[in-house]
Amino acid sequence: MIQGFCITGIILVVFMAVCIVKMGSIKKEIVNTMRFLFSVAILTVLCNIAAVLTVEETVAMLMHGLYFALTDWLVVALFYFAKHYTGYFEKNKTVVRLFSFLSIVDTISLLANLYFKHIFYCEWTDIQQGAFEYSCYAVHTRMPGYLSHILIVYSMALFVIAVFFVKARNTIKLYRRKYDVILYSFVIILGVNIIYRFVNIAIDISVIFYALLAMAIGYFGLMYIPKGLTARLLSFSVKDMSMGILCYDLEGNCIYVNDMAKRLFGQTQSSDYEFFEKYYAEWLEEQGDEELVDTTWREQQIEGDKISYYETKFKRLLDDEGNFVGAYFSIVDMTEEIIKYERERYRATHDELTGIFNRVGFMEQVHMVLENDPDTKRCMMCVDVKDFKLYNEMFGVEAGDKLLIKIAGIMRQEYSENIVYGRLSGDRFAVCMPVERFDEQRITNYIKTAAEKGGNEVYHVHIQLGIYFITDSAMDVSVMCDRGMIAIQSIKQDYQKYAAYYDETLGDQLHKEKKLISGFEEAMDDGQFKMYLQPQIAVDGTLLGAEALVRWMHPVDGLIPPIAFIPLFEQTGYIHKLDMRVWELACKKLAEWKKMGREDLHISVNISAKDFYYIDLYETFTGLVKQYGIAPKNLKLEITETAVMTEMSKQLKLLDRLREFGFHIEIDDFGSGYSSLNTLKDMNVDVVKMDMGFLKKTEHQDRSRIIMDSMIAMSKKLGIAVITEGVETEEQVAFLRTAGCDMFQGYYFDKPMPVEQFEEKYKVS
Ligand code: C2E
Ligand code: CA
Ligand code: CA
């Protein structure tokens, strides 16, 4: 009997020791409490075995005493475990303190028992139990000492049981078993322990139960997950998924279908899986005899005008050895994603304002058309609204948008299949069409009507076309568009032309322009820009001054006229640098003339519309006249009306300040603009400059003369002087003189010439 008891005890001790080592470090807190529990259990068993085996009374007394004390600490350890396992008393230290205090008191009392024997005493006893006969130091308890120990142990144990009980009751059903198993093992072992107390056996085998309890807790607390909990949790998460899940076993029985799948198949009402089994069976039949593999496919479902897109995955389920154990389908409703993708794609390839293809979409589409049908002869037609920026500035962005929408509308109406059209950028459109569909007459007529519709009484929208006949359909589409634009570029300055065709020489033109732009910095550094002067003559024939006109003395290309580079530099943002150079040359010259006593002469300089954006004109001009010590009235500023059209009130204020400072302001090219008469009303200017050239262009000479005549008369009434440039004939001089013009400039008198020549000829010295 003793041997059996001891061997069992030793086995348990070894087993628990192994557990302590192997517990690992997951769930750290729990593992620590469990290590504590196992250690106390081991000590309890060891003390008990020693107490039974000893033949020394004192040792027996000590070991029994320790064993009793350790039962206290076993319950304390259990409480620690319960704390972490249930999450109760996590913050509350009172119970732990109370338990520890009771156990310490009890431990001291049990050790004192060695001398006082107030709790128990040991007596060597021969015991006869059934067929077994053995001798050992048996325990004889003494009341009330023993009772107090029992009370402490059992009340603490009952408290721990209560903790598990309350936790189990307060937890949702799914998790209750996690606590129940420990609660039941605890109750059973405690029950057995109590029964044992009444069946008076000399050896306290309840210690074995303590060890078993510790191990039961170890197993349930760490390893055991209530059966079905995983499965249930998984099924909850799958049930809730936004994808449909259908699960089948090896025989093709449907074992699980989540809510989403039911919804997707319209089977929300049916509770049996017959429908889904049929679905699987039919699918398997479609696969034929081929071995099943994991696959993914997309399907479309059309219901009325609603299209839905689904992505279905078939996956085999394999066990650890790779055996086929079942399969599942996952079905995702892709409708939203696909619609979103299509919307995004639409946005990426279409112009938001007009709804037709944007640059990207147009290029893509043309590329596709050319690739699919490379043999049809096609042309690329670019469309550009002339002075669109100005139109925007004059009538507002909204009106500009309306115009663009109108153009897109015409394209939509005119062009159908086989013709691709789109808006490349801003005011530029392009159309790619078979050559036989291209009809210049028809298109220009269209443009003219569109222009009339787009404009108003004072402004006619001017639209220009650049056509490139595609010779190589493999050519980059953007190059084709560039060529169309180059063609437009060649007629940019010409208001009479609507359409231009690309040819290789135009490409050369573009090349030349690029060369001019890249040569700018060097030309500035080398002083290749020269100021030419064209005299301005009074009615009586005397010299009043000159207009400064720039020339580019190119080391290779020779003299380049401003018309060839001014617009380019305006586009590239260089113009203000060039203008400032010319202004400085003019001021220098005025300073020289002043020294010579010719303060009566003035120089008019040109100001580009772009200069207003890039520099502070007030600072620049006042700075220049101060630097060179010249009178501001001698530096006349030529400004076109369109230059002040943007931010009108701001620019008009600027001009007023310049005038106040003493500069004379001239409106250049007066009469060529869009609302000249209005300008005179608003702009405070000193001189208006009319161009004879505008007269020549019109067919109705007489009417033009009347207009010119009255413009001069009106200016004079407003106290504004008039100068006419482009005067080429004596007859013109005579007419202008009668009309009241004050000054003349033109080839009739002289062409623009180098400064030295001017000075020599007009004896400025
Ligand atoms: P603009 O200011 O209207 O200058 C008058 C243009 O008419 C000059 O051309 C001049 O040579 C030309 N011209 C003068 N008399 C006659 C004539 O009797 N008949 C004809 N057919 N033409 C005549 P140019 O010098 O080629 O200048 C062209 C334009 O370039 C100028 O027009 C002006 O807008 C611009 N420009 C010239 N120099 C500068 C400059 O330094 N800065 C800026 N921003 N623009 C300039
Ligand atoms: Ca001018
Ligand atoms: Ca002019």
Side-chain angles (χ1 to χ4, degrees), residues 570 574-584 587 605-627 632 635-648 650-666 683:
E570 281 181 333
Y574 289 154
I575 189 66
H576 64 281
K577 293 188 189 164
L578 174 62
D579 275 350
M580 276 160 69
R581 171 69 53 88
V582 178
W583 303 338
E584 180 148 27
C587 291
V605 291
N606 288 287
I607 300 174
S608 158
K610 289 282 160 68
D611 294 335
F612 285 81
Y613 295 110
Y614 289 105
I615 44 179
D616 183 337
L617 290 174
Y618 185 81
E619 287 297 319
T620 309
F621 284 119
T622 53
L624 275 172
V625 294
K626 277 180 205 156
Q627 188 187 341
L635 186 70
K636 301 201 178 209
L637 311 179
E638 289 196 9
I639 296 158
T640 56
E641 296 159 74
T642 48
V644 290
M645 220 63 114
T646 31
E647 301 179 275
M648 187 100 161
K650 183 182 153 200
Q651 312 300 24
L652 291 183
K653 262 185 214 135
L654 168 72
L655 297 188
D656 283 343
R657 281 170 65 216
L658 285 167
R659 282 188 82 222
E660 262 164 43
F661 191 84
F663 291 104
H664 280 189
I665 309 285
E666 291 185 21
M683 250 169 115

Side-chain angles (χ1 to χ4, degrees), residues 392-405:
N392 260 333
E393 284 160 2
M394 285 172 67
F395 305 111
V397 179
E398 225 169 276
D401 284 353
K402 264 192 196 153
L403 177 64
L404 297 176
I405 292 169

Side-chain angles (χ1 to χ4, degrees), residues 547 606 638 640 668-670 689-691 694 725:
E547 178 177 7
N606 288 287
E638 289 196 9
T640 56
D668 201 355
D669 301 339
F670 184 74
K689 191 173 197 184
M690 295 192 297
D691 195 328
F694 298 123
E725 66 181 330

